[in-house]
Amino acid sequence: MVPHLATALKGPLLDLERRILNAQPIIEHWFRTKWQEHTPPFYSSVDLRNSGFKLAPVDTNLFPGGFNNLNPVFLPLCVQAVQTAVEKVCPEARGILLVPENHTRNQFYLQNVAQLALILKQAGMKVRIGSLLPEITQSTTLQLPNGSSLVLEPLQRQGNRLALDDFDPCVILLNNDLSAGVPDVLQRLEQTVLPPLGAGWTTRRKSQHFAAYDRVADEFAALLNIDPWLINPYFATCGKIDFQQRSGEDCLASQVEAILQKTRAKYTEYGVKEAPFVIVKADAGTYGMGIMSVKDASEVQHLNRKQRNKMAVVKDGLEVSEVLVQEGVYTFENINEAVAEPVVYMIDRYVVGGFYRVHTGRGIDENLNAPGMHFEPLAFEECCSLPNPDFEPDDIPNRFYSYGVVARLALLAAALELEVLQ
């Protein structure tokens, strides 16, 4: 069954979707030329927001951890895309060493690791899982809620190669975003490491990604003769923030007000009645930590202790000193009267599925990547990565095609970003 999805279909977004559908041959040719010039990340996921007047990415993850949330019908797409991606870096690859996060108590994440391993195995790879946890000193089996199991093994460094007992892989696949830093065991390897170490949060910054996305969105908008704002959120940065010491608040308030003013002008231009808002989030880090939604610059100057503590530290104790101030994009999509946003998954340059992130306790102007969220797989009667010209823009396959186009724009921005980080 397809989850009940309610979307505010109004104004420029419907027109944008129609333009995307009508330009499908041009768009696909444009993407093909871009992938001849740039190498996409091994895999990625993109959080989108559909406000009914705007469709834009708000975050791009280069270490996606929700493969267990994809509809099983998309598994063949995942397998084919993995085969393409692996052949690029190691045509004779037979073995892949998967290095996950250290979340051995997070059953949902472990199911993601198991599903990722299944995809790799069905792509013809021998897959084993090496843990960075110091307490994993021997082969350790973890039982999963669905009745399956996962075997973690201690990593071994042999010269400039990473290995396990009786296993010398061609490719090291990271499903660990390196928020805690790059451990010595992963450095200076002669094997191919995917994604590259520079993609981890030790070096990567969201502001760099959205600066690259600016260039991509402008070129794509010129191709379709649309306003780039319809697919691109404004953003600014503020460095040298210390939420605990309350330093940098003036800089932050100034940037918040600047983004609000620019967004307010666009809302007036397009007749949008809602109040603009901004999302302030750590420039590095993930898991929905270090994020707040504000509608007035004064709100960031009067944070209470709880709010400051929430913003000061993100995953793995990474201290926040730089923040991204991003135009907030409303989500007017909901599933069963709960606020929802689409998340699109890609392997190599291919869209391989997605799901809706749903939160019953959050509003249309809030971050949904928070405790209490759940996921609804995209469940369609047929594969819908390509549009059907006989349908209306708001029909399910065509809506997902539009999502896939905007997600691939973010993917292209990530490719540009990695060229600088590597």
Side-chain angles (χ1 to χ4, degrees), residues 341-403:
E341 65 184 11
V343 182
V344 176
Y345 268 57
M346 290 162 288
I347 297 175
D348 199 76
R349 66 181 188 271
Y350 304 104
V351 174
V352 297
F355 50 82
Y356 283 100
R357 179 183 286 116
V358 186
H359 204 303
T360 58
R362 291 291 175 105
I364 61 175
D365 59 350
E366 293 182 284
N367 167 49
L368 303 187
N369 188 4
M373 64 182 170
H374 69 276
F375 306 100
E376 292 281 356
L378 293 174
F380 301 135
E381 295 179 357
E382 56 182 316
C383 175
C384 55
S385 57
L386 293 177
N388 187 330
D390 296 328
F391 292 170
E392 289 298 310
D394 57 316
D395 280 317
I396 291 170
N398 290 342
R399 169 129 298 156
F400 188 52
Y401 178 71
S402 299
Y403 289 165

Side-chain angles (χ1 to χ4, degrees), residues 195-246:
L197 299 180
W201 288 122
T202 308
T203 50
R204 186 180 181 229
R205 296 293 179 268
K206 296 174 185 178
S207 54
Q208 296 169 343
H209 173 74
F210 282 100
Y213 186 79
D214 272 350
R215 303 197 301 273
V216 171
D218 286 348
E219 184 176 342
F220 183 80
L223 185 72
L224 265 62
N225 192 27
I226 61 172
D227 182 350
W229 177 76
L230 295 174
I231 56 172
N232 190 12
Y234 292 129
F235 79 94
T237 58
C238 194
K240 299 182 180 179
I241 291 287
D242 189 327
F243 285 100
Q244 298 288 17
Q245 300 299 321
R246 311 193 76 148

Side-chain angles (χ1 to χ4, degrees), residues 40-168:
F42 181 84
Y43 52 15
S44 64
S45 65
V46 177
D47 295 354
L48 300 176
R49 301 278 283 205
N50 174 359
S51 64
F53 54 85
K54 180 169 185 164
L55 175 61
V58 294
D59 201 13
T60 299
N61 186 359
L62 298 183
F63 302 87
F67 281 96
N68 56 308
N69 297 316
L70 300 183
N71 191 314
V73 74
F74 291 113
L75 180 59
L77 292 179
C78 295
V79 170
Q80 293 171 2
V82 162
Q83 289 173 334
T84 299
V86 172
E87 285 172 2
K88 286 182 179 179
V89 296
C90 191
E92 302 301 321
R94 292 292 182 269
I96 292 182
L97 175 57
L98 178 58
V99 181
E101 296 276 1
N102 292 338
H103 306 321
T104 53
R105 296 182 181 178
N106 186 328
Q107 295 294 308
F108 296 108
Y109 175 73
L110 293 177
Q111 290 178 68
N112 155 75
V113 176
Q115 183 65 19
L116 183 54
L118 174 65
I119 292 169
L120 295 168
K121 289 174 183 176
Q122 293 204 359
M125 309 296 162
K126 184 175 181 181
V127 182
R128 287 167 67 177
I129 303 168
S131 176
L132 291 168
L133 285 168
E135 59 265 32
I136 300 294
T137 58
Q138 61 184 1
S139 180
T140 303
T141 301
L142 304 177
Q143 298 298 325
L144 303 183
N146 61 4
S148 63
S149 62
L150 206 60
V151 178
L152 302 183
E153 301 179 70
L155 290 172
Q156 300 175 21
R157 182 71 180 243
Q158 299 175 357
N160 289 330
R161 298 186 70 82
L162 208 56
L164 302 177
D165 286 339
D166 302 317
F167 186 62
D168 185 15

